[in-house]
Amino acid sequence: MRIAIYPGTFDPVTNGHLDILQRSAAIFDQIIIAVAEDNYKKNLFSTEERLYLLEEVVKDIPNVKVEKFSGLLMKYVRTKGACAVVRGLRAVSDFEYEFQLSMMNKKLNEHVETIFLTTSSEYSFISSSMIKQVASLGGCVKGLVPNLVEQALKQKYKKKYRG
Ligand code: COA
């Protein structure tokens, strides 16, 4: 059984993430989406909210499950018996950071490969931050995020403005 981990912050999950996920689910027997609990980003959605949104949007893909993790990614990968980490590359600008990350991860566990998939062109310009910025200013993010995420963003920003 070839298990791969797809790690990230997913604040929130976008159609770009789903594109990478669907394609990697066709390559591996099982994909575990690993939602980073502690990172240096100021997240809009709590860990539980990010998990819920992901679980809902991937529920029809049978070989995908969603979990949270904290601490070193490579420790988590080992506990899952995974052989690979999947990452998406949107543009050349992603490469340097991803290259560093994969090198460090290789140093920490030489038995795990990082597999890069290029994000489909229609999603290559989006990031979670950009989605949040547009949504916070009342812009339309339809088609760039799942409908459920679009609704969740509307709720968040409605509450923020009220509060
Ligand atoms: N479509 C749309 N957006 C995409 C994307 C795609 N296909 N691929 C990446 N992105 C965006 C994300 O939305 C995110 O945008 P944001 O910065 O605006 O939030 C950005 O690209 C990169 O984020 P993400 O893929 O979530 O990675 P990350 O840098 O937030 O987290 C971890 C990377 C969690 C995997 C990494 O920090 C980690 O492994 N942490 C654990 C600690 C550890 O082991 N450290 C040592 C490793 S060197």
Side-chain angles (χ1 to χ4, degrees), residues 12-163:
V13 57
T14 69
N15 285 349
H17 292 127
L18 289 182
D19 165 55
I20 297 293
L21 182 68
Q22 278 157 349
R23 286 158 52 208
S24 49
I27 300 172
F28 291 94
D29 298 312
Q30 186 176 54
I31 301 285
I32 304 175
I33 305 177
V35 179
E37 255 195 303
D38 41 30
N39 57 26
Y40 305 103
K41 293 181 177 177
K42 199 173 169 292
N43 294 323
L44 174 67
F45 293 96
S46 68
T47 307
E48 298 316 318
E49 288 169 331
R50 285 179 283 142
L51 284 166
Y52 167 74
L53 291 172
L54 274 161
E55 274 160 6
E56 284 298 310
V57 300
V58 304
K59 65 180 177 205
D60 293 331
I61 314 176
N63 60 336
V64 172
K65 64 178 184 174
V66 186
E67 291 188 354
K68 60 184 171 184
F69 83 100
S70 55
L72 269 185
L73 176 65
M74 281 299 126
K75 273 195 186 163
Y76 173 77
V77 169
R78 196 172 299 133
T79 64
K80 296 290 146 186
C83 63
V85 167
V86 172
R87 297 287 288 169
L89 280 182
R90 289 163 301 170
V92 179
S93 50
D94 279 345
F95 181 76
E96 204 172 336
Y97 170 67
E98 293 299 335
F99 185 75
Q100 269 188 315
L101 204 69
S102 70
M103 286 295 149
M104 181 54 85
N105 284 335
K106 194 81 187 161
K107 179 94 187 122
L108 294 170
N109 187 342
E110 61 180 357
H111 304 294
V112 174
E113 298 296 340
T114 300
I115 307 291
F116 295 110
L117 295 182
T118 47
T119 306
S120 297
S121 55
E122 64 261 48
Y123 305 124
S124 62
F125 62 96
I126 59 172
S127 67
S128 298
S129 303
M130 196 178 276
I131 293 289
K132 284 180 282 189
Q133 190 186 86
V134 171
S136 74
L137 298 170
C140 178
V141 292
K142 206 176 256 318
L144 300 177
V145 294
N147 290 341
L148 185 67
V149 172
E150 193 190 348
Q151 295 312 317
L153 283 163
K154 278 190 185 151
Q155 286 301 319
K156 270 283 172 201
Y157 289 115
K158 209 175 359 165
K159 264 190 213 157
K160 267 202 159 172
Y161 288 131
R162 257 197 251 126

